[in-house]
Amino acid sequence: MPEQKVKAELIDEQGLERTITRLAHEILERNRGTEKLAVVGIRTRGAPLAARIVRKIEALEGKRIPLGTLDITMYRDDFRRKIPMVRGTDIPFEIDDMNVVLVDDVLYTGRTARAALDALMDFGRPATVQLAVLVDRGHRELPIRADYVGKNVPTSIGEEVQVRLKEQDGEDCVLLIAAEEGK
Amino acid sequence: MEFRRKHLLELQGMSREELTLILDTAETFREVLERPIPKVPTLRAVTVANVFFEPSTRTRLSFELAEKRLSADLVSFSAATSSVLKGETLKDTARNIEAMKVDMVVIRHSAAGAPHFLSRCLAASVINAGDGCHEHPTQGLLDMMTLRHKFGRLEGLKVAIVGDIEHSRVARSNLHGLRTMGAEVLLCGPSTLMPVEAERWGVAVTHDLDEAIAWADALNVLRIQRERQAAGLFPSLREYHARFGVTRRRLERAGKEVTILHPGPINRGVEIESDLADSEFSVILDQVTNGVAVRMAVLYLLAGAQGALQGS
């Protein structure tokens, strides 16, 4: 595998912590507290991000918030091009009439968010669904936008935004990876 | 790991990694079956033909449900109402079905090797839903999934397969799958229903059911195929029940709790006491639920692999 060329560190460890704190405050402000609020992380990196946001909100408000994990593999529109492994969904609460915040690491084409909306609707009928992302890198292919954005990063199509989290990667940062030659 | 098989014809020769992948994938599909809307759009635009040359209720319904839960399109065919009665060959039947642009074929046939034959003459993926006395791989997988649920592991588990081993495709798939996964297998049945090659499989054989119960963590009780009874392979159903029927009294005598599986349909009062089939020892209904999840996993992985193979 060719070595990746890191073009820039978009968010460092402290920056990530601050960004998550800000997202938690914004979610609380917009929903006017935690009444009927639930957070669902999209696998894989949306799941630990959602857990961190929930911990922040719980610390701020002193109340428990339902937390779930959503695997969108079965809802992808490119199933027959790749062989995605399903990892399982865990939403251990009723989503009917809840204000559900979907959390993902990067918003790019919008196809993951579209699949997540389809997947979520199979569990019930939430009052609202909001989308929180750590990085919005543009290049949307579907009419989807995020309600909460950690950082907007204009990128070129060949570049990659890589979110690294302690839970899965051993470190906290967001990197911009250069486009491969010829791309 | 990636699943790179185009067909599921038998469990013999499949690796532990492949079997684990199917079982793990089936766990996630079991969760889908418990959702308020137990259906996902994954196999939209995939067409599956269920080609059953032998009677089947459970397996055919289970496959159909799995296909519907994955949003595949399906066509079903049964030999009793088809042109097979007019003399059409298996190959012609299959090629006609494929000409209708079918992506996957699920086949049950009384001849061992029929799915292998089809896999050589079709571009579609072929899934063996039971071929003669050879294998019934999805049944083997669902039995393994049920045991893994119950015990949390397969490695080191002691499973006795009881009954008509000779004519059982379920026994063969279980034997190969369980041994690959590290379980120990004991075959138990009358010597007239024990295949001559059993010794060559390298598994222990007993003709004493009490010995098997004393040894086993789980008993996989096979259906006595009444149609074989005419061949005089055992004196009578009553005598079979007396020697090889699994009863509560036998379990009590062994003084242990044993999990009981049965692939169905059950001959109540023959291979298993009716009350025991519905008892706390039985996981027969779990097997039925797991059957749908396992078949969803197999369809999913084969469809994905097929797309990838075509792409490459």
Side-chain angles (χ1 to χ4, degrees):
Chain A
M1 202 173 145
E3 199 170 306
Q4 293 177 325
K5 192 175 166 198
V6 177
K7 224 168 147 182
E9 187 177 43
L10 301 172
I11 308 177
D12 62 11
E13 187 175 342
Q14 289 77 26
L16 194 72
E17 176 73 16
R18 281 194 293 272
T19 305
I20 287 169
T21 305
R22 178 168 54 77
L23 288 173
H25 278 286
E26 284 180 15
I27 290 167
L28 274 175
E29 192 178 343
R30 180 167 167 158
N31 291 281
R32 298 188 179 89
T34 56
E35 185 73 19
K36 298 221 169 215
L37 183 66
V39 178
V40 173
I42 301 171
R43 282 190 192 273
T44 54
R45 284 180 179 73
L49 282 172
R52 290 196 205 186
I53 288 171
V54 161
R55 281 200 296 274
K56 286 276 179 208
I57 294 175
E58 287 178 346
L60 288 165
E61 294 288 300
K63 287 178 186 163
R64 304 283 294 171
I65 297 191
L67 170 67
T69 306
L70 190 63
D71 181 82
I72 55 117
T73 314
M74 298 174 205
Y75 295 81
R76 292 174 68 111
D77 58 10
D78 59 352
F79 169 69
R80 302 202 77 187
R81 288 194 220 165
K82 299 177 180 177
I83 318 171
M85 291 300 122
V86 286
R87 292 185 175 84
T89 287
D90 179 26
I91 301 183
F93 52 88
E94 296 287 327
I95 66 163
D96 284 354
D97 303 320
M98 298 288 278
N99 296 307
V100 179
V101 180
L102 278 173
V103 179
D104 203 3
D105 57 347
V106 179
L107 180 57
Y108 180 33
T109 60
R111 288 176 190 271
T112 300
R114 196 277 313 160
L117 285 169
D118 279 354
L120 193 67
M121 296 304 176
D122 280 356
F123 286 86
R125 189 179 183 280
T128 63
V129 181
Q130 301 154 34
L131 178 63
V133 296
L134 191 61
V135 176
D136 183 348
R137 61 168 292 195
H139 304 291
R140 214 77 79 236
E141 293 170 5
L142 298 173
I144 281 171
R145 67 167 181 81
D147 300 278
Y148 312 98
V149 178
K151 191 176 178 74
N152 281 294
V153 182
T155 59
S156 67
I157 288 210
E159 288 172 333
E160 185 194 340
V161 174
Q162 203 173 80
V163 174
R164 301 181 66 82
L165 298 174
K166 277 184 180 154
E167 294 89 334
Q168 289 174 3
D169 313 294
E171 61 176 339
D172 276 349
C173 61
V174 180
L175 306 173
L176 183 65
I177 308 294
E180 281 176 43
E181 296 274 326
K183 261 197 173 182
Chain B
M1 92 165 262
E2 278 189 8
F3 196 78
R4 305 290 293 182
R5 281 183 190 264
K6 188 177 170 190
H7 312 288
L8 180 70
L9 304 175
E10 57 197 356
L11 297 191
Q12 184 173 23
M14 289 187 84
S15 70
R16 187 183 284 214
E17 290 72 26
E18 286 175 304
L19 295 176
T20 304
L21 177 63
I22 297 173
L23 296 177
D24 289 347
T25 307
E27 294 291 344
T28 63
F29 283 114
R30 177 143 182 162
E31 176 264 311
V32 171
L33 294 173
E34 281 154 18
R35 290 181 188 180
I37 300 175
K39 184 165 179 154
V40 289
T42 318
L43 293 198
R44 243 173 5 196
V46 172
T47 306
V48 187
N50 301 309
V51 185
F52 280 72
F53 289 90
E54 259 191 348
S56 166
T57 306
R58 206 168 316 252
T59 305
R60 205 188 68 223
L61 280 180
S62 183
F63 265 109
E64 284 183 5
L65 201 54
E67 289 147 11
K68 285 178 176 172
R69 295 291 188 233
L70 288 168
S71 304
D73 293 317
L74 57 126
V75 285
S76 290
F77 159 99
S78 84
T81 54
S82 75
S83 293
V84 170
L85 293 180
K86 300 177 192 167
E88 189 172 73
T89 65
L90 169 62
K91 187 174 180 177
D92 282 338
T93 303
R95 293 192 70 171
N96 277 299
I97 289 169
E98 187 172 57
M100 296 173 199
K101 306 297 174 199
V102 165
D103 303 289
M104 307 177 94
V105 177
V106 177
I107 176 171
R108 164 165 290 192
H109 204 286
S110 57
H116 293 70
F117 171 73
L118 275 198
S119 72
R120 288 194 293 273
C121 52
L122 298 184
S125 284
V126 176
I127 299 174
N128 180 1
D131 61 332
C133 300
H134 173 232
E135 279 218 34
H136 190 350
T138 54
Q139 178 71 44
L141 287 161
L142 75 89
D143 288 344
M144 285 193 277
M145 181 179 179
T146 307
L147 287 168
R148 203 170 73 154
H149 252 286
K150 176 81 185 177
F151 293 94
R153 68 189 162 89
L154 290 173
E155 179 91 48
L157 202 64
K158 292 177 175 173
V159 184
I161 304 175
V162 181
D164 180 359
I165 312 290
E166 167 74 4
H167 301 103
S168 175
R169 48 199 177 207
V170 176
R172 283 167 181 78
S173 282
N174 266 269
L175 175 74
H176 296 306
L178 285 167
R179 291 183 77 203
T180 304
M181 296 304 286
E184 292 180 57
V185 177
L186 172 69
L187 302 179
C188 174
S191 50
T192 48
L193 296 177
M194 193 62 68
V196 284
E197 70 268 26
E199 303 288 345
R200 270 187 280 130
W201 291 338
V203 288
V205 172
T206 180
H207 307 297
D208 181 341
L209 179 58
D210 292 317
E211 189 186 308
I213 292 173
W215 174 86
D217 299 312
L219 298 178
N220 197 348
V221 184
L222 302 174
R223 180 176 74 91
I224 270 301
Q225 306 186 15
R226 286 169 184 260
E227 58 273 25
R228 315 281 179 208
Q229 227 272 322
L233 294 170
F234 52 90
S236 69
L237 292 175
R238 192 170 164 183
E239 183 164 335
Y240 181 87
H241 180 69
R243 287 204 57 198
F244 293 99
V246 180
T247 62
R248 193 178 277 275
R249 195 152 162 238
R250 281 184 191 272
L251 297 191
E252 282 169 0
R253 212 159 50 208
K256 60 188 291 204
E257 291 194 359
V258 180
T259 296
I260 296 172
L261 297 93
H262 192 298
I266 305 169
N267 294 307
R268 289 179 181 265
V270 182
E271 66 265 9
I272 187 166
E273 200 173 50
S274 183
D275 155 59
L276 198 59
D278 307 320
S279 72
E280 68 277 17
F281 300 110
S282 162
V283 288
I284 295 171
L285 294 178
D286 282 334
Q287 286 175 274
V288 178
T289 306
N290 290 338
V292 180
V294 151
R295 286 165 183 131
M296 286 171 84
V298 167
L299 290 160
Y300 173 83
L301 290 169
L302 289 179
Q306 194 191 38
L309 292 170
Q310 282 165 0
S312 63

